[in-house]
Amino acid sequence: MGNRVSHGSSRNVNEEDYEDLDMGTPRLLAVLVMLFSYVKPAKSTPLQPVCDIRVLDNYIREAKNAANTAKQCEETCTLPGNFTLPKTSVSYREWAAKDLRTKAEEVQSGLKLLAAAVQKAQNLTVNSNMLYPIERSYSNIRSITQMVKSFTPVSLNGDQPAAQTTFSSRTVRTIFHVYLNFLQGKVRLFFLDTEACNLATS
């Protein structure tokens, strides 16, 4: 993907893009190769993902760049209608008391809300400077969602997302501010709480 994307050539994403992740895309395969080096010590042992938190940190850097770009928006980044976004505040004591399943539910639910908001922003924004950050962020959210699912207990995958504490906004600036905070907060904490990441960082 180039660094400059015109509004006319921008691909409008739809809900099916989020629900049916295209695992055949070269970029997503590259992410999975970077993140998941599978180890199989015995023939009967199930494959386990190996965590490299640096991959997530790279997404956080990109989110920070997108948030900085969005800060330069004013009237053209105020969009019609409200966007539902997850609240990003975290009580570390309450978070530590939750099991991995509950944490995964919160993270997946929040990522789904962010994907929907970014998708709508892409379809509605008239600011050409924001098109590339929006498209890039949508793609990254899809990849991060797949990463979270790979570390989620099998019993959770396929379940309905947990209820999420939310608020509404109409600005692209707020969407990217929430996106960055969500990655730095709950998403990063989730990965650090998984056994694979604990072993990788210990």
Side-chain angles (χ1 to χ4, degrees):
M1 183 180 293
N3 290 330
R4 306 182 73 178
V5 181
S6 67
H7 190 273
S9 62
S10 173
R11 181 180 66 85
N12 286 339
V13 295
N14 50 48
E15 190 64 24
E16 287 74 20
D17 284 331
Y18 180 78
E19 298 294 340
D20 185 16
L21 298 176
D22 182 4
M23 297 303 295
T25 59
R27 185 176 179 280
L28 187 53
L29 284 175
V31 170
L32 295 179
V33 168
M34 284 190 294
L35 183 63
F36 305 120
S37 302
Y38 288 99
V39 178
K40 193 176 183 182
K43 190 171 183 179
S44 60
T45 303
L47 298 175
Q48 298 295 330
V50 176
C51 174
D52 185 349
I53 201 68
R54 293 172 298 180
V55 176
L56 178 63
D57 288 341
N58 183 61
Y59 286 127
I60 290 174
R61 283 192 294 271
E62 290 196 25
K64 187 175 294 185
N65 291 337
N68 288 336
T69 301
K71 285 180 181 178
Q72 302 172 19
C73 285
E74 294 182 2
E75 292 83 2
T76 57
C77 284
T78 299
L79 305 174
N82 288 324
F83 300 87
T84 302
L85 300 169
K87 289 190 175 180
T88 59
S89 57
V90 180
S91 166
Y92 293 101
R93 180 177 297 178
E94 292 179 4
W95 181 264
K98 297 175 181 178
D99 59 25
L100 189 62
R101 176 189 175 94
T102 302
K103 294 172 182 177
E105 287 176 340
E106 289 189 22
V107 170
Q108 289 191 33
S109 177
L111 287 172
K112 187 169 185 177
L113 288 174
L114 285 166
V118 172
Q119 169 194 318
K120 290 178 182 178
Q122 181 186 9
N123 294 335
L124 295 173
T125 188
V126 296
N127 188 312
S128 60
N129 292 330
M130 285 304 306
L131 286 176
Y132 176 73
I134 288 173
E135 290 184 347
R136 181 77 172 177
S137 296
Y138 183 81
S139 176
N140 287 351
I141 292 172
R142 290 173 55 195
S143 299
I144 295 165
T145 299
Q146 188 60 37
M147 289 161 54
V148 172
K149 287 183 177 180
S150 297
F151 285 96
T152 296
V154 176
S155 59
L156 174 60
N157 286 322
D159 290 357
Q160 291 296 320
Q164 182 78 223
T165 305
T166 64
F167 72 102
S168 296
S169 178
R170 297 180 58 193
T171 68
V172 173
R173 181 185 303 183
T174 302
I175 292 174
F176 283 103
H177 177 72
V178 171
Y179 172 43
L180 173 60
N181 286 346
F182 196 74
L183 294 190
Q184 291 176 321
K186 289 185 178 181
V187 175
R188 199 170 197 279
L189 287 173
F190 169 78
F191 283 113
L192 291 176
D193 286 338
T194 63
E195 182 179 358
C197 286
N198 277 329
L199 292 174
T201 56
S202 60

